[in-house]
Amino acid sequence: MTKGIFPVDKLDKIETPFYYYDIELLKKTLDIVKTETSKYGYSQHYAVKANANRTILATIAAAGFGADCVSGNEVKAAINAGFPASKVVFAGVGKTDKEINLALDYDIFCFNVESLPELEVINELSGKKNKRTKVALRINPNVDAHTHEYITTGLNENKFGFSLSSLPNVVKVLKELQYVDLIGIHFHIGSQITEVETFKPLCEKVNELQTFFEKEGFDLTDINVGGGLGIDYDDPNANPIPDFAGYFAIFNQNLQLKNKQKLHFELGRSIVAQCGSLIARVTYIKHGESKQFAILDTGMTDLIRPALYQAYHKVENISSNLPEQKYDVVGPICESSDTFVKDYSLNECKRGDLIALRSAGAYGEIMASQYNLRDIPKAYFSNKLQAEE
Ligand code: LLP
């Protein structure tokens, strides 16, 4: 039997819980991103933080994308998966000397620098290796992303990036540093942004800043506007692929590139979220006073977004077509926040039924923990239903 996108008979033979990736959907998504970006000559660096599963990374690398990394290990994983170092950017507020040296040795494309002390350390470490290093400044454009406070990053007082008011001093310092070349400016205003108009004020700010850098004598070749495009968590079946055409068009219409400048993006969630599901089984149905609980063999350790951000993931009973009943769907972890959904209609659940937690391809597997000493679930792929060891 199949239900929706799920080959239930095959999945039924696999030990739960596990992550299930629809590789055909991922490839279709990558194709659309490629078509849309090539219309304008934009360049795409997949945000590895969203999902660094080996097969997922290799699939995205094979499609010709670059990578956006935020740790030395991400840089290593990206390059091992086939991303060329010349398409790797490295951001993060706390890059250690070890991580900077590693990225320097790989000769990555560019460091997205987030503070003055970091800029000075990159300069010093590059000098020791007798290298000139390309850097972009991550700037807080002070644009409201209208999203969850934990994933808003573009407002002025923030641990990320440079504030607008610090820039005159930063360019002064830059002019004195011998081993770094400023090639661009970088932004990321937040994540899960579903209203593409939200990116308009970002474009306007970029245009303004272009003039500032030009006046200061910098010839910027690269503009990087980060990621942030949201997905439809409510209805992944109706909207498996986000509106990439509308998203890139906003930048094309509102952001003025100068001669030969390249526009870069760092999409994560919108590329991988919808291709992934967390598949679990009902361990028990517990009848409470007025509610019934579907207790699963997966929990917040395998998908932390509901507990951490009050995020909604669609839940489906893929083993059942029985009439719907209401459940609180919960995990086995010793925390009350280990609840996926409350008073939720599902086809009647029985012990052993397979449950799919949808849109779990981004910030799912990669944020898994071993709390309660649980195993990290394995990953399976639609095109070869064998576990990745
Ligand atoms: N670039 C930078 C500099 C970022 O900080 C991020 C995400 C991205 C790109 C990719 O953003 P995306 O296209 O995926 O929205 N764990 C949270 C999301 C944290 C996002 C952090 N930065 C969640 O599960 O919603």
Side-chain angles (χ1 to χ4, degrees):
M1 137 182 185
T2 58
K3 190 169 174 186
I5 59 162
F6 298 105
V8 181
D9 290 339
K10 286 185 183 159
L11 300 183
D12 223 358
K13 298 195 177 80
I14 303 173
E15 187 185 2
T16 52
F18 58 91
Y19 300 101
Y20 172 70
Y21 294 108
D22 181 343
I23 291 293
E24 289 78 19
L25 176 59
L26 175 60
K27 287 186 174 161
K28 225 159 107 185
T29 307
L30 293 170
D31 275 350
I32 291 179
V33 174
K34 268 173 27 185
T35 310
E36 292 304 323
T37 47
S38 63
K39 275 188 196 164
Y40 313 113
Y42 294 162
S43 134
Q44 193 62 245
H45 303 264
Y46 165 65
V48 173
K49 65 175 80 65
N51 188 322
N53 174 289
R54 231 174 21 181
T55 301
I56 299 287
L57 283 186
T59 308
I60 299 172
F65 286 51
D68 156 42
C69 302
V70 289
S71 71
N73 283 349
E74 281 193 3
V75 171
K76 243 191 261 176
I79 290 172
N80 288 341
F83 289 94
S86 60
K87 288 188 183 174
V88 169
V89 295
F90 185 14
V93 299
K95 302 177 190 80
T96 62
D97 294 20
K98 183 177 166 193
E99 291 176 309
I100 294 171
N101 277 324
L102 175 124
L104 288 174
D105 291 341
Y106 274 124
D107 265 325
I108 63 161
F109 169 55
C110 180
F111 287 75
N112 291 330
V113 177
E114 311 233 11
S115 70
L116 215 43
E118 182 197 331
L119 190 60
E120 283 161 352
V121 169
I122 293 177
N123 182 63
E124 182 193 322
L125 296 178
S126 304
K128 282 193 184 144
K129 292 182 186 290
N130 214 4
K131 281 189 167 175
R132 292 187 74 89
T133 300
K134 292 196 209 106
V135 298
L137 297 178
R138 172 162 180 186
I139 299 171
N140 273 321
N142 206 16
V143 165
D144 192 348
H146 305 292
T147 182
H148 194 286
E149 61 170 319
Y150 287 7
I151 47 179
T152 293
T153 48
L155 291 170
N156 240 347
E157 194 66 311
N158 209 299
K159 79 167 179 175
F160 301 101
F162 293 93
S163 66
L164 293 168
S165 60
S166 69
L167 292 180
N169 182 44
V170 176
V171 293
K172 220 162 77 199
V173 175
L174 262 169
K175 286 175 188 165
E176 280 153 23
L177 298 178
Q178 289 178 41
Y179 299 102
V180 289
D181 289 324
L182 181 69
I183 61 157
I185 44 181
H186 171 236
F187 308 84
H188 174 76
I189 59 171
S191 201
Q192 184 50 19
I193 297 168
T194 45
E195 202 42 74
V196 290
E197 297 286 311
T198 305
F199 292 99
K200 251 180 161 173
L202 169 63
C203 295
E204 283 152 16
K205 195 53 90 177
V206 174
N207 297 340
E208 259 174 68
L209 282 164
Q210 291 257 41
T211 315
F212 167 81
F213 282 94
E214 202 168 34
K215 276 199 187 130
E216 288 287 341
F218 289 96
D219 181 17
L220 301 181
T221 49
D222 297 86
I223 310 291
N224 182 335
V225 286
L229 177 63
I231 61 138
D232 189 348
Y233 282 101
D234 292 330
D235 202 347
N237 293 325
N239 294 306
I241 299 178
D243 176 18
F244 289 110
Y247 171 71
F248 292 116
I250 285 280
F251 290 92
N252 180 249
Q253 287 154 16
N254 296 282
L255 196 151
Q256 287 143 25
L257 289 176
K258 311 241 176 240
N259 233 353
K260 291 202 193 132
Q261 266 178 348
K262 189 116 194 139
L263 188 59
H264 302 260
F265 292 82
E266 298 173 344
L267 294 174
R269 183 191 319 264
S270 50
I271 292 176
V272 289
Q274 298 293 36
C275 77
S277 299
L278 173 59
I279 309 289
R281 271 182 212 282
V282 177
T283 310
Y284 301 111
I285 299 294
K286 173 180 157 180
H287 298 279
E289 296 294 311
S290 57
K291 282 174 172 269
Q292 46 182 358
F293 295 90
I295 303 174
L296 307 184
D297 62 2
T298 190
M300 61 189 282
T301 46
D302 309 330
L303 180 62
I304 201 176
R305 304 192 67 259
L308 194 57
Y309 315 116
Q310 300 84 46
Y312 169 69
H313 286 257
K314 186 177 169 68
V315 183
E316 284 174 310
N317 182 343
I318 58 173
S319 296
S320 165
N321 286 314
L322 295 171
E324 291 185 345
Q325 296 195 10
K326 291 256 164 132
Y327 299 91
D328 279 17
V329 179
V330 302
I333 313 297
C334 303
E335 302 268 351
S336 354
S337 58
D338 187 28
T339 296
F340 290 116
V341 282
K342 288 186 170 166
D343 292 316
Y344 193 80
S345 295
L346 285 179
N347 294 112
E348 185 182 340
C349 293
K350 297 205 161 42
R351 173 173 162 82
D353 280 356
L354 283 180
I355 302 292
L357 291 139
R358 303 293 304 276
S359 314
Y363 308 110
E365 181 176 358
I366 195 65
M367 292 179 83
S369 84
Q370 282 200 292
Y371 184 43
N372 287 191
L373 210 52
R374 289 171 54 81
D375 294 325
I376 305 273
K378 289 183 176 164
Y380 291 81
F381 305 89
S382 56
N383 57 343
K384 56 170 173 58
L385 272 171
Q386 279 162 2
E388 187 177 66
E389 288 306 327

